[in-house]
Structures are given as structure tokens and as C-alpha cells.
């Protein structure tokens, strides 16, 4: 039976004149909170790819707080990798302060990367879940990053981002898009030890639908970073959006997989420490 879901909108201000949209989805304010960090192109709204997962988590007995990265959804400002990481930490800290206890943390793709970059701080979350996280920003599309080393190709890509954006993610002008692309190139890989128990789920296909051939190497890398009581699983048949076939519509994220119920049950058990 589907639970009736409510939502509350709030804005944080990581910098002067920057509004960071957060939305908390819930059926009961007594339920524990998960801070969910979206992948590139996602946002806090109901039109975001993560809404399928959000509604399922609410139905499982959680409050879910989602934030829109800068210049996506109803957030303002300009997105870089560094400020995405900074804002992720801010939302976790603000949630803990308001709730009087640490929240759980969950991140998908770029959201999983940003979360892993701050989980060396044990004071940010009780437990965490990383869904198809990136060790390195370049790992899934290395050929594209090779092309971006050419200044003319990068400028063309920046113009495309300015014109069409990435789903909910907007870019105000070509320089804004260029700054974002520069931040992708400069972003450090995830190499810090995770200081909270973390459940990591790796999938077999990239965000463009190609087979990931170094899954075992990625698993070993993440295992080296994990702390006690952590887990890792690989789903080689699933794509980056946890569907059984790669589909262009990201709203299929956590929707069409026969594994979805099993994965959600395992996430629930892991977060509640019933392992």
C-alpha cells in the first residue's frame, strides 16, 4: 500500500546571494531522515530522476531530504564540483542541527562521488549508501575528457551546455559552463578512508550505456576505503540508473528493475543495522 507523501521546501544560503533549494519528503515526521545527493542533472523536485527512489524510501519509513545543486531546480548560483561537495556537507550539517541527531546519507553517481569525498568526517552521517558512485569524475567517459583537452572542443561543449543544459541542470552563460567543465577536469579522485559504515552498489554499465570492464578493480578500490560494518555489491546486469536496460529517460532510475525490491530491502536493513 502506497503511503501518502508530503513535502516541505526550505532554502539554505551557502554563500551570499546563493539560494540552495532543499525539499524534505515524508509521511511521518518521526521517521529517520536520509539526505539524498542527486547525480548530475538531478534536482529536488518531483520531475527529477531520483523521485522514484525518494517515494519508495518514504514508503519504507524514512523522511528524504533532497537538495538541488546550484543552478538546478529552484537553486541559484553557479555549479562546480567543489561547491557541490561543500553544499552536500552543509545540508548534512544543517539536517543534523535541526533534527538533533545525524541523518543517514545516500548519493547516486556524482552525488555518490561528492558524498564519498566528505565521508572521511565521521561527524556527518550515521551510515551511508553509495549508488553507482564515481571514484573519479572521468572514469565512465574517458574519451569525452580526452576531447575536452582540445580548447576548441571544450568551447563547443560549453556552448552546448549553455543552450540545452543537463536535464534540470542549467548553465547561465558559456563562461559558466566552461567553469563547470574546468572543475570536472580538476576534481580529485575518491581516495580518503570512509569513516562511517557504507553500503556501496556498483553496476555493470556506464551512464552512456557502455559495459564497465573494470568492475572488479573498482570494487577493490572501494573496499580499500570502507570501514568496518560496510558492504559492497555488484549488479553487472544493471545500468547506471538501476534499470535492466539502458533507457534515455532518467526517470526510469530505480523503476524497471526486478532487483529493485531486493536492493531497497537491503538498503533498509543496512541503515537500520539489521544485518
Amino acid at each position: 500500500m502506497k503511503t501518502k507523501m508530503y513535502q516541505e521546501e526550505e532554502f539554505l544560503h551557502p554563500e551570499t546571494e546563493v539560494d540552495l533549494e532543499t525539499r524534505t519528503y515524508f509521511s511521518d515526521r518521526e521517521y529517520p531522515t536520509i539526505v539524498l545527493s542527486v547525480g548530475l542533472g538531478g534536482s529536488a523536485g518531483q520531475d527529477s530522476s531520483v523521485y522514484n527512489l525518494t517515494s519508495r524510501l518514504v514508503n519504507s519509513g524514512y523522511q528524504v531530504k533532497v537538495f538541488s545543486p546550484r543552478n538546478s531546480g529552484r537553486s541559484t548560483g553557479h555549479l562546480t564540483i567543489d561547491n557541490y561537495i561543500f553544499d552536500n556537507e552543509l545540508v548534512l550539517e544543517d539536517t543534523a542541527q535541526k533534527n538533533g541527531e545525524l541523518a543517514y546519507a545516500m548519493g547516486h553517481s556524482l552525488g555518490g562521488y561528492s558524498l564519498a569525498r566528505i565521508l572521511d568526517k565521521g561527524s556527518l552521517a550515521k551510515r551511508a549508501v553509495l549508488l553507482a558512485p564515481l571514484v573519479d569524475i572521468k572514469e565512465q567517459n574517458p574519451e569525452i575528457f580526452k576531447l575536452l583537452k582540445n580548447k576548441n572542443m571544450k568551447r563547443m561543449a560549453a556552448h552546448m551546455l549553455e543552450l540545452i543544459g543537463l536535464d534540470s541542470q542549467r548553465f547561465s552563460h558559456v563562461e559558466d559552463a566552461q567553469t563547470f567543465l574546468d572543475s570536472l577536469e580538476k576534481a580529485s579522485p575518491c581516495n580518503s578512508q570512509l569513516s562511517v559504515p557504507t553500503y556501496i552498489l556498483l553496476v555493470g554499465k556506464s551512464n552512456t550505456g557502455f559495459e564497465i570492464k573494470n568492475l572488479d578493480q573498482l570494487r577493490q578500490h572501494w573496499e580499500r576505503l570502507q570501514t568496518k560494518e560496510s558492504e559492497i555489491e555488484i549488479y553487472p546486469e544493471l545500468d547506471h540508473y538501476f534499470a535492466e536496460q539502458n533507457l534515455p529517460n532518467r526517470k526510469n532510475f530505480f523503476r524497471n528493475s526486478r532487483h529493485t525490491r531486493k536492493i531497497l530491502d537491503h538498503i533498509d536493513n543496512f541503515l537500520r543495522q539489521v544485518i
Side-chain angles (χ1 to χ4, degrees):
M1 183 176 173
K2 194 171 182 179
T3 304
K4 188 170 183 179
M5 184 164 64
Y6 306 92
Q7 64 174 296
E8 179 180 84
E9 186 178 53
E10 184 182 10
F11 288 88
L12 302 179
H13 304 283
E15 293 180 28
T16 305
E17 299 182 357
V18 174
D19 298 323
L20 193 71
E21 175 193 30
T22 73
R23 294 195 195 190
T24 302
Y25 296 90
F26 63 95
S27 62
D28 190 323
R29 279 302 201 181
E30 297 301 313
Y31 288 159
T33 301
I34 297 173
V35 172
L36 177 57
S37 307
V38 300
L40 186 61
S43 70
Q46 294 185 21
D47 59 341
S48 174
S49 60
V50 298
Y51 186 70
N52 292 322
L53 176 59
T54 298
S55 58
R56 288 173 180 271
L57 290 170
V58 170
N59 206 51
S60 296
Y62 295 93
Q63 299 183 72
V64 183
K65 178 178 280 190
V66 191
F67 71 96
S68 296
R70 299 188 195 195
N71 214 10
S72 71
R74 297 184 64 193
S75 291
T76 62
H78 304 287
L79 180 66
T80 67
I81 297 302
D82 283 346
N83 64 38
Y84 189 96
I85 295 169
F86 179 86
D87 294 345
N88 200 345
E89 185 170 349
L90 173 66
V91 175
L92 282 164
E93 289 175 338
D94 181 77
T95 303
Q97 183 178 26
K98 287 184 170 70
N99 291 357
E101 63 176 359
L102 296 178
Y104 297 117
M106 183 180 297
H108 171 242
S109 189
L110 181 60
Y113 164 87
S114 74
L115 188 55
R117 287 283 307 274
I118 58 178
L119 282 179
D120 57 334
K121 303 175 183 179
S123 58
L124 287 178
K126 291 180 185 176
R127 288 185 165 225
V129 178
L130 305 182
L131 304 167
L134 306 177
V135 169
D136 188 295
I137 296 295
K138 308 175 188 68
E139 77 182 40
Q140 296 208 356
N141 303 289
E143 297 304 319
I144 291 176
F145 281 94
K146 286 179 184 177
L147 289 175
L148 291 179
K149 289 186 180 297
N150 180 294
K151 290 183 179 180
N152 292 330
M153 292 299 295
K154 184 184 284 188
R155 192 72 175 175
M156 186 183 300
H159 277 293
M160 291 296 292
L161 287 177
E162 178 195 16
L163 288 172
I164 63 176
L166 292 165
D167 289 354
S168 298
Q169 187 67 56
R170 304 178 299 276
F171 297 92
S172 304
H173 41 70
V174 69
E175 287 76 17
D176 182 27
Q178 180 101 29
T179 299
F180 170 71
L181 290 173
D182 289 341
S183 79
L184 290 178
E185 287 191 297
K186 295 173 184 175
S188 302
C190 296
N191 283 322
S192 297
Q193 198 74 34
L194 308 179
S195 62
V196 301
T198 307
Y199 177 31
I200 298 175
L201 293 92
L202 302 179
V203 292
K205 294 182 181 177
S206 71
N207 55 5
T208 50
F210 293 105
E211 181 184 357
I212 298 174
K213 296 181 179 179
N214 63 335
L215 265 179
D216 198 54
Q217 286 179 298
L218 291 173
R219 176 185 60 78
Q220 290 174 21
H221 183 91
W222 284 113
E223 283 180 335
R224 287 194 294 271
L225 302 184
Q226 287 181 305
T227 187
K228 291 180 180 180
E229 300 180 35
S230 294
E231 293 190 32
I232 190 164
E233 281 193 292
I234 295 178
Y235 289 86
E237 64 272 53
L238 297 184
D239 70 15
H240 193 67
Y241 307 105
F242 287 80
E244 290 176 354
Q245 55 183 340
N246 195 64
L247 300 170
N249 186 348
R250 295 188 183 197
K251 293 184 178 64
N252 287 296
F253 178 51
F254 255 87
R255 191 173 188 175
N256 295 327
S257 167
R258 61 189 171 88
H259 298 285
T260 301
R261 185 68 264 165
K262 174 188 172 185
I263 291 172
L264 286 168
D265 284 345
H266 201 150
I267 288 173
D268 186 38
N269 289 338
F270 177 80
L271 293 179
R272 298 182 195 272
Q273 303 181 49
V274 184
I275 301 173

